[in-house]
Amino acid sequence: MDHARDRAKGHVTLVGAGPGAADLLTLRALRAIEAADVLVHDDLVPADILMLAPRARLIAAGKRKGRHSMPQTRINALLVALGRRGLRVVRLKAGDPLVFGRAGEEIAALRAAGIAHDIVPGVTSALAAAADARVPLTLRGVASHLVFATGHGADGALPPGIEALAREGATLALYMARSVADGVAARLLAGGLPASTPALAVEQAGRDTRRLFAGALADLPALAARDDLAGPVLILVGPAVAHGDLAQAEPFLADLLAAAA
Ligand SMILES: C[S@@+](CC[C@H](N)C(=O)[O-])C[C@H]1O[C@@H](n2cnc3c(N)ncnc32)[C@H](O)[C@@H]1O
């Protein structure tokens, strides 16, 4: 590799910002953020993390459900253009960049353009959610598989084959599944998962503002109907969930009497 040429072309680092708490950034992420000339960030990355980059120009790429976002092709082109200008660019993504972060498309564009790039992993929200409720994601004799899955396929609909995730002894970590919790639950039940399978949803995992909701798979659809959840939500389903500390969790179904009081 021609390092002098790479330096002249700049460098793009895809950095995982973790679930949104500054103290869950890795040291490597912090160093990259502090050294950046430009920081292209997603909406889910909070202001206190962006403040760690005082010298960087900040560019918001959006990517929050229901809000205006830069199209992915434009983000790819932007990263290439910034890299070509010889800048140190940080592409800051929620959680881990390689987990449902469209990093693959950005990496492909950088590779095709010959821009040097690397990846700094981050704490993905499934791990933060599990830690919040002290849920062992794998547990001897109870859960021997851990599956990261999304509720939204490439066309926005439920991904095909989601029923196949209904496997004995698996913990499912479901991203982007809150608004389609009814469809996800129906498919998992159709796939053979018992209605009583424990489930947990964590809003704003890893942050002080987190909220926990627990119940059975059969009750999960109630989450889709709630209008009091504005933050990102991660859902865990599987027998290992019952081994977490769920005493503080609210039920999936909002207590309408309490809400009206
Ligand atoms: C586009 S995906 C990005 C996932 C991210 N790359 C990761 O590793 O966590 C967005 C989804 O991640 C989940 N998510 C991200 N941050 C979260 C958080 N702090 N708490 C709960 N869920 C979160 C939600 O399911 C949200 O809909």
Side-chain angles (χ1 to χ4, degrees), residues 14-257:
L14 274 60
V15 176
D23 57 354
L24 283 177
L25 280 173
T26 66
L27 267 183
R28 194 181 294 181
L30 178 61
R31 287 184 188 129
I33 291 168
E34 286 173 340
D37 299 314
V38 186
L39 202 143
V40 182
H41 64 92
D42 288 349
D43 269 352
L44 277 178
V45 179
D48 57 343
I49 291 184
L50 299 178
M51 277 163 42
L52 299 171
R55 55 182 295 278
R57 182 177 154 211
L58 303 182
I59 301 178
K63 295 241 172 243
R64 184 88 185 267
K65 195 167 189 294
R67 302 212 194 152
H68 175 72
S69 294
M70 240 187 233
Q72 185 63 46
T73 48
R74 223 175 121 208
I75 298 174
N76 302 346
L78 175 68
L79 297 177
V80 167
L82 293 169
R84 283 206 173 115
R85 275 201 234 156
L87 297 167
R88 269 176 300 186
V89 183
V90 161
R91 172 72 176 107
L92 194 55
K93 290 169 173 288
D96 182 273
L98 301 176
V99 178
F100 302 121
R102 300 193 71 171
E105 290 151 78
E106 296 173 10
I107 293 167
L110 293 166
R111 193 183 286 142
I115 307 288
H117 55 279
D118 62 352
I119 318 261
V120 177
V123 175
T124 189
S125 39
L127 305 187
D132 284 341
R134 297 167 191 85
V135 168
L137 290 169
T138 63
L139 188 61
R140 275 170 74 87
V142 176
S144 51
H145 324 284
L146 171 60
V147 180
F148 290 1
T150 175
H152 279 83
D155 57 1
L158 286 177
I162 195 165
E163 296 86 350
L165 301 181
R167 287 176 166 247
E168 204 181 322
T171 304
L172 307 181
L174 302 169
Y175 293 71
M176 295 173 275
R178 206 278 291 189
S179 65
V180 290
D182 44 356
V184 170
R187 296 285 192 89
L188 293 175
L189 291 167
L193 221 49
S196 60
T197 306
L200 169 76
V202 184
E203 183 199 26
Q204 312 246 31
R207 308 185 195 182
D208 294 342
T209 49
R210 67 184 159 250
R211 286 172 76 192
L212 274 57
F213 304 87
L217 176 62
D219 304 324
L220 197 59
L223 264 192
R226 291 186 76 127
D227 57 8
D228 61 335
L229 299 177
V233 173
L234 192 292
I235 299 173
L236 298 173
V237 177
V241 169
H243 295 260
D245 284 345
L246 307 179
Q248 302 304 317
E250 304 169 43
F252 290 138
L253 192 59
D255 183 339
L256 296 177
L257 290 177

